[in-house]
Amino acid sequence: MLAALAAPTGDIAAAEDALADAFERALRRWPVDGIPAEPAAWVITVARNRLRDRWRSAGHRRAARLDENLDVTAESVDWPAIPDKRLELMLVCAHPSVAVNVRTPLMLQVVMGVDAAAIAEAFAVEPATMAQRLVRAKRRIRDTGVPFTLPERDDLAERLPAVLEAVYGVYAIDWQRGPPDDPGASLAAEALHLTALLTELLPADPEVLGLAALVCFGEARRPARRGVEGAFVGLDDQDSARWDHELIARAEDLLRRAHTHRRPGRFQYEAAIHSAHCHRPVDRRALRKLYLALLRVAPSLGAAVALAALDGEIDGPDAGLRALAAIDDPALDRFQPAWTTRAHLLERAGRTAEANIAYQRALAITSNPALRAHLRQRLR
């Protein structure tokens, strides 16, 4: 709906406001009048009327020159090559005129409805800073007249990495939040759907296949991530019998297809790491090789911390602590997995007092209730 509403003007913020007004009106009217036969059509019609009223209002005429030939109620352009409107809008958010560091956050908010605070937490920046970046990016799309059209194949290749990053971001944010009580409310399920669409659109792109495999591996383990009364269960402690082995087989097939192209990349390495975790006992040295390869092609704080944890498991806790200390990233102090890893390594090294401080720091920056309960248990 948002893509269709924003296409004529390029004003994503105005389309968001109109859509919000339409949903509010539905909440007021439908309990009285009943749900219409075509709920989506009702909502988008009301939203288009709201946009029309805005463009024709005297206040807007004074604020901006109105194009008398513009029909904001017209149907959006048809893109038969792309099977999902969300992908269309993601490609708009990935336009070269939008700053590189905000393309993925913009997709997460505009297309997936992730709030700015959750996006800021995922990118380890202040919420106010992220909110400002998102507002500026929407204005940029409107003011530069970014077309809501299917890009040429070369342009599509340029925008694809940001789209893949956004789909991965949805999956990662959902993973941080923990499994919802209603599986249908999972953002990761949306990521699974989008990766399936991307593999239909670009079946020969190895990174698309790698991302699809990565999300499949993650979703396959979802049933085992909670124990009694919703308690957090770490990956090494999960009951593999509760995993979705059909989904794991699909992931392995996607990863094999990606490998045939002989162009390894970030998402293929991430998927291979997940694949390694699906085989018991886990080969820690093979995992370390994969993380080293991942850091060469796509350095990230998460991968560096995971590698430090592996160093601690293979070479002893002091080696892991040295690796953690060597990470040069200003976001390290705000990164919960780093504090949890440090606490675990200190605990193994017998440095209990320091481990307690690290666990307390991890607790202070953890919002996931199940993970907080797990950390409190470790602290006790």
Side-chain angles (χ1 to χ4, degrees):
M1 290 180 185
L2 187 59
L5 289 167
T9 65
D11 194 337
I12 292 175
E16 287 175 324
D17 290 343
L19 197 55
D21 287 348
F23 281 126
E24 181 184 11
R25 188 172 176 186
L27 287 169
R28 294 179 184 277
R29 291 282 300 276
W30 292 1
V32 177
D33 300 340
I35 298 175
E38 297 290 341
W42 189 99
V43 169
I44 203 165
T45 299
V46 171
R48 280 188 169 132
N49 289 338
R50 174 70 180 84
L51 278 175
R52 179 197 61 200
D53 293 343
R54 175 181 182 272
W55 275 87
R56 292 176 179 173
S57 70
H60 190 275
R61 283 177 180 271
R62 287 193 296 270
R65 186 168 178 267
L66 177 64
D67 181 355
E68 297 294 347
N69 297 317
L70 179 65
D71 182 8
V72 296
T73 65
E75 292 294 328
S76 59
V77 178
D78 181 27
W79 290 291
I82 298 185
D84 192 291
K85 289 290 183 186
R86 283 170 294 185
L87 287 178
E88 297 164 3
L89 191 50
M90 290 171 91
L91 289 167
V92 170
C93 295
H95 191 273
S97 68
V98 178
V100 173
N101 68 340
V102 78
R103 291 175 192 173
T104 296
L106 185 62
M107 292 180 220
L108 290 173
Q109 187 196 54
V110 170
V111 185
M112 292 299 179
V114 180
D115 62 79
I119 298 170
E121 181 181 359
F123 284 82
V125 301
E126 293 298 325
T129 301
M130 181 58 70
Q132 290 172 356
R133 290 178 185 174
L134 293 168
V135 169
R136 285 197 298 267
K138 291 175 191 176
R139 288 176 182 164
R140 180 72 177 167
I141 289 173
R142 180 196 65 195
D143 295 343
T144 57
V146 174
F148 281 57
T149 57
L150 175 63
E152 298 296 331
R153 181 154 294 276
D154 289 345
D155 293 334
L156 180 62
E158 180 185 359
R159 300 189 203 183
L160 183 61
V163 173
L164 298 183
E165 182 69 34
V167 175
Y168 177 73
V170 169
Y171 158 77
I173 288 172
D174 180 90
W175 197 262
Q176 290 172 356
R177 289 176 174 176
D181 295 327
D182 174 14
S186 167
L187 282 173
E190 291 298 305
L192 190 66
H193 172 65
L194 285 170
T195 56
L197 292 174
L198 283 166
T199 55
E200 291 179 17
L201 183 65
L202 298 164
D205 189 295
E207 280 293 84
V208 168
L209 296 170
L211 177 59
L214 171 60
V215 175
C216 284
F217 278 126
E219 281 297 273
R221 295 198 301 269
R222 179 176 293 276
R225 290 175 59 200
R226 280 187 174 179
V228 179
E229 298 181 355
F232 171 83
V233 181
L235 180 55
D236 290 340
D237 298 322
Q238 289 178 8
D239 179 2
S240 60
R242 297 181 62 195
W243 293 346
D244 184 334
H245 292 278
E246 183 177 338
L247 202 52
I248 290 175
R250 187 197 306 178
E252 296 286 6
D253 178 64
L254 287 163
L255 191 54
R256 279 192 293 271
R257 285 168 55 192
H259 182 64
T260 61
H261 295 279
R262 304 294 178 181
R263 287 187 284 126
R266 173 199 173 176
F267 294 116
Q268 295 169 74
Y269 282 127
E270 296 233 24
I273 287 167
H274 280 251
S275 175
H277 276 293
C278 288
H279 295 82
R280 301 288 178 84
V282 176
D283 186 338
R284 304 290 179 191
R285 295 186 183 277
L287 265 181
R288 183 156 65 178
K289 290 180 181 179
L290 288 169
Y291 270 111
L292 287 168
L294 174 61
L295 282 166
R296 281 196 298 271
V297 299
S300 71
L301 180 55
V305 170
L307 182 58
L310 276 171
D311 287 343
E313 292 177 13
I314 297 170
D315 301 325
D318 289 336
L321 289 167
R322 286 193 298 272
L324 267 182
I327 297 174
D328 183 18
D329 190 318
L332 186 68
D333 193 53
R334 303 187 301 273
F335 192 55
Q336 176 267 321
W339 285 103
T340 303
T341 299
R342 177 175 172 79
H344 178 64
L345 292 170
L346 288 167
E347 184 181 357
R348 286 185 54 207
R351 296 158 63 177
T352 306
E354 294 174 83
N356 286 343
I357 294 172
Y359 275 128
Q360 289 166 354
R361 178 60 180 159
L363 268 168
I365 54 177
T366 301
S367 57
N368 183 322
L371 186 53
R372 285 182 60 82
H374 174 74
L375 290 172
R376 281 195 294 268
Q377 178 63 34
R378 294 297 300 265
L379 182 59
R380 284 195 292 268

